[in-house]
Amino acid sequence: MKLIFCTILSFICFLTYGQVEISNSIILNSADSAKRQISNTSYPIDSADAINVNTVAYSYLRYYQASGTNNISITTNIALQEYGSGMTFLFKVTSSNTDSVMVNIDGLGAKRLLTIHNQRLKFGDLVAGNIHTIVYNGLYFVLLSDTDRGCLNGFVEVNETYCIEITDRPAVLFYDATKVCQDMNAKICTWGEWYYACQKSGLGLINMVNNYEFIDDAHDHGTFVGMVGGGGVCNLFTSLNAGTALRPYRCCYRK
């Protein structure tokens, strides 16, 4: 009777927990090769659990809904204990980033998220509703998804590397113009960018040679800043005091 009671109690415990800890090797030695397998394992809930085929097929341990905009938080299904090189995650964000991005998984600490070219993310690299793939390289996360988003609103593509604003912005001080462009993760156009766009036909640019515009150029130093576009031609260049001159400008954006 005592033996029967212990057997029943053991069976009840087995049904309750649904897991068996095995300290020795499992040997699959069936004569039928089709039967040499372990089946009916559930989805893992701990980092030491066995993984079934569905876990891999459906990326159960890799796909998550992320929270946050520039500070991304992800909670996995198994509560990771540490970051490891090669860890790969797929996640969806509910809002696009507006600045550089940090990623924190299971509260292990925020790590930088950079592009495959080791550059910080720009405005909109993480697109709301899109699925993005990142991998940890031992130091930081790398975004494997495509980050070529085209041009920002109000910009036109000049070539495969950059875009320029279609029309100039109202006159301000050079320092204020710089901040406006930087807030969009853009910058005041360099002499080369501005001149190349000015010479290129079919872009639909407005007011390129009606007034002098600020440019970001090697000439800019101390209290002087370069300007181009006056006199109805693309190559007319001059400079004025950056602290007092008010001029229109336009931003350029590297894709």
Side-chain angles (χ1 to χ4, degrees):
M1 178 65 70
K2 185 175 182 180
L3 178 61
I4 295 175
F5 175 77
C6 291
T7 302
I8 295 174
L9 181 62
S10 298
F11 182 71
I12 292 174
C13 291
F14 175 77
L15 292 178
T16 302
Y17 291 100
Q19 295 185 7
V20 178
E21 182 177 344
I22 302 175
S23 58
N24 297 319
S25 300
I26 297 176
I27 300 175
L28 306 177
N29 56 6
S30 172
D32 185 352
S33 60
K35 295 181 179 179
R36 291 200 290 266
Q37 58 184 322
I38 298 174
S39 60
N40 298 322
T41 58
S42 301
Y43 284 114
I45 58 175
D46 185 82
S47 58
D49 289 348
I51 298 178
N52 59 31
V53 173
N54 279 343
T55 299
V56 178
Y58 296 107
S59 295
Y60 177 77
L61 297 180
R62 296 199 303 151
Y63 175 70
Y64 304 99
Q65 176 68 56
S67 61
T69 301
N70 300 325
N71 294 290
I72 303 296
S73 293
I74 296 174
T75 301
T76 71
N77 299 311
I78 58 174
L80 296 173
Q81 300 302 305
E82 60 181 353
Y83 291 125
S85 298
M87 283 183 170
T88 303
F89 302 91
L90 292 80
F91 65 91
K92 181 187 291 187
V93 292
T94 56
S95 57
S96 301
N97 70 299
T98 60
D99 205 336
S100 57
V101 175
M102 303 290 287
V103 176
N104 192 341
I105 297 180
D106 286 341
L108 295 177
K111 299 289 185 179
R112 292 179 301 161
L113 176 59
L114 303 182
T115 71
I116 57 176
H117 303 294
N118 295 325
Q119 298 176 335
R120 72 182 185 89
L121 269 60
K122 298 179 181 178
F123 181 95
D125 277 339
L126 297 182
V127 180
N130 284 9
I131 297 174
H132 299 280
T133 303
I134 60 174
V135 60
Y136 186 66
N137 68 0
L139 296 175
Y140 51 84
F141 287 101
V142 177
L143 178 66
L144 302 184
S145 310
D146 184 13
T147 59
D148 184 358
R149 308 167 310 284
C151 299
L152 298 174
N153 290 336
F155 287 68
V156 64
E157 182 179 81
V158 181
N159 57 27
E160 66 277 5
T161 62
Y162 80 101
C163 310
I164 190 171
E165 284 193 286
I166 296 172
T167 189
D168 56 338
R169 291 177 175 268
V172 296
L173 291 173
F174 178 76
Y175 309 114
D176 295 329
T178 298
K179 184 179 185 305
V180 170
C181 292
Q182 288 179 341
D183 285 345
M184 296 188 295
N185 276 317
K187 60 182 181 61
I188 294 179
C189 301
T190 65
W191 157 248
E193 290 168 340
W194 191 96
Y195 181 74
Y196 181 77
C198 185
Q199 293 284 332
K200 191 171 182 178
S201 62
L203 296 181
L205 301 176
I206 300 172
N207 292 333
M208 283 295 279
V209 293
N210 292 5
N211 302 289
Y212 279 109
E213 296 182 15
F214 287 135
I215 56 168
D216 185 7
D217 187 74
H219 179 275
D220 302 339
H221 61 86
T223 59
F224 290 93
V225 61
M227 299 182 298
V228 291
V233 293
C234 291
N235 60 356
L236 196 60
F237 179 92
T238 188
S239 64
L240 284 176
N241 190 305
T244 59
L246 299 173
R247 287 292 184 273
Y249 66 101
R250 65 187 77 213
C251 305
C252 280
Y253 176 71
R254 288 280 171 178
K255 296 196 294 178

